[in-house]
Amino acid sequence: MDNRADVREFLMSRRAKVTPEAAGVIGTGDPSTRRVPGLRRSEVAALAGVSVEYYAKLERGAIGGASAAVLDAVAQALQLDDTERAHLLDLARAADGIPPSGRARRRSTRPGAPRPSLQWALAAITDGVAFVRDQRQDLLATNALGRAFYSPVIGDGGRTPNLARFQFLDPAARDFYPDWDLFAQMCVAIMRAEAGRDPHDKGLQDLVGELSTRSDVFRRLWGAHDVRTHGSGTKRFHHPVVGELTLAYEELAITAEPGQVLMVYTAEPGSPSAERLRLLASWGAEPATSASVEQDR
């Protein structure tokens, strides 16, 4: 896999973030005379215990064949967090032609229909927003409350709802996400990590190309090469029906469908957001036998 450009830009962007002071580099001279915003290549090489020539080769994108020990040393020198370190390893695996761990390479760009048992599991979650999304940010299935919650995203049908397209191309997203800038950064960083994990995913490549063409913000954030995992946390939303919601989220990997995750949003019991979720559930109540989002493609 020729991912040298991604490797080069990722390493350069991480090096630019580490100051000599933060790295404990002594005797760097007058800071005003430095021509780079962060560490020099020679300083990273010294911290990693490799030659300047070898580190320069890595930063040119020739990461194929690099040992785990060298990659770990570079990660330490660049002060990468756990997600960034995993991304560097993913880039190295891709350069070596090693498929993503536990995930088959995809030949189709079309998301598959959720299994009935997965739909039943979603339907069993009644007090929280539950949905399944894939590595391309496609919203594949929801529970009943999820359909009501994501009504601005799902709309009236058409192609599979996509959280990234909604984020960057739909003006309604700026109302739905009060912290729009933060959500945008998170969305792109998650997609960037996925692209490093599975560079053969043509559907994701096509989505990145589309958004890069149509959104200046997306293009800028994609070029920053920031990566992150979702995990857990708290987000704010403003729903057009019930108003502001502060919800905790948990992300759970669906091991039977590599690349897909189950997201669950819940409100603190007894909080105003919990009451608003109940109101939203009442508003969205309708006879349903499936938790699947309508997919008319």
Side-chain angles (χ1 to χ4, degrees):
M1 178 67 190
D2 187 358
N3 61 349
R4 285 174 291 184
D6 284 341
V7 173
R8 179 177 65 251
E9 292 166 12
F10 178 68
L11 289 176
M12 291 178 64
S13 68
R14 298 312 95 176
R15 178 163 62 87
K17 288 178 175 288
V18 184
T19 65
E21 294 76 17
V25 176
I26 307 299
T28 59
D30 184 354
S32 64
T33 65
R34 294 179 67 88
R35 293 183 295 175
V36 294
L39 295 176
R40 299 185 177 103
R41 288 191 184 93
S42 59
E43 292 165 342
V44 176
L47 290 168
V50 299
S51 70
V52 177
E53 293 77 11
Y54 186 72
Y55 178 73
K57 174 185 173 183
L58 294 179
E59 197 171 280
R60 287 196 298 271
I63 200 172
S67 69
V70 166
L71 294 175
D72 186 63
V74 169
Q76 288 185 337
L78 294 175
Q79 301 183 7
L80 303 187
D81 61 26
D82 290 344
T83 302
E84 292 170 326
R85 185 185 299 259
H87 184 63
L88 179 62
L89 294 176
D90 286 334
L91 292 172
R93 292 189 191 100
D96 288 333
I98 301 173
S101 177
R103 185 182 301 181
R105 290 181 179 174
R106 300 169 192 82
R107 297 181 181 177
S108 172
T109 61
R110 296 164 65 93
R115 299 183 314 280
S117 60
L118 180 56
Q119 296 174 344
W120 301 336
L122 286 169
I125 301 173
T126 56
D127 293 332
V129 173
F131 63 96
V132 175
R133 68 158 175 81
D134 65 11
Q135 69 284 353
R136 305 163 194 165
Q137 299 293 309
D138 284 329
L139 189 61
L140 301 180
T142 73
N143 65 351
L145 183 52
R147 285 194 298 276
F149 178 76
Y150 273 122
S151 56
V153 182
I154 297 171
D156 297 326
R159 64 180 172 179
T160 303
N162 183 275
L163 296 170
R165 286 193 185 94
F166 177 73
Q167 173 79 48
F168 291 100
L169 304 182
D170 193 327
R174 291 188 177 269
D175 293 326
F176 190 64
Y177 302 131
D179 304 309
W180 189 91
D181 291 335
L182 175 62
F183 272 60
Q185 293 170 8
M186 292 172 64
C187 179
V188 175
I190 291 169
M191 291 174 63
R192 174 59 86 173
E194 287 288 353
R197 189 173 298 117
D198 191 354
H200 301 278
D201 189 336
K202 187 177 184 302
L204 182 55
Q205 293 172 4
D206 290 345
L207 177 62
V208 169
E210 175 190 350
L211 295 178
S212 296
T213 300
R214 301 178 63 186
S215 169
D216 293 339
V217 176
F218 179 89
R219 185 166 57 251
R220 173 176 58 80
L221 292 174
W222 187 256
H225 283 262
D226 291 332
V227 293
R228 66 165 289 148
T229 52
H230 216 160
S232 63
T234 303
K235 293 181 178 179
R236 292 195 308 136
F237 303 89
H238 188 276
H239 196 277
V241 175
V242 297
E244 186 162 316
L245 295 162
T246 300
L247 303 177
Y249 65 88
E250 295 286 342
E251 179 183 279
L252 308 171
I254 301 176
T255 55
E257 300 290 347
Q260 295 184 10
V261 297
L262 168 64
M263 294 290 300
V264 181
Y265 289 121
T266 54
E268 181 181 355
S271 67
S273 292
E275 176 59 28
R276 289 170 188 151
L277 273 186
R278 283 192 289 272
L279 291 173
L280 186 60
S282 298
W283 173 80
E286 60 182 359
T289 58
S290 168
S292 176
V293 171
E294 184 71 21
Q295 296 183 28
D296 180 14
R297 299 187 297 277

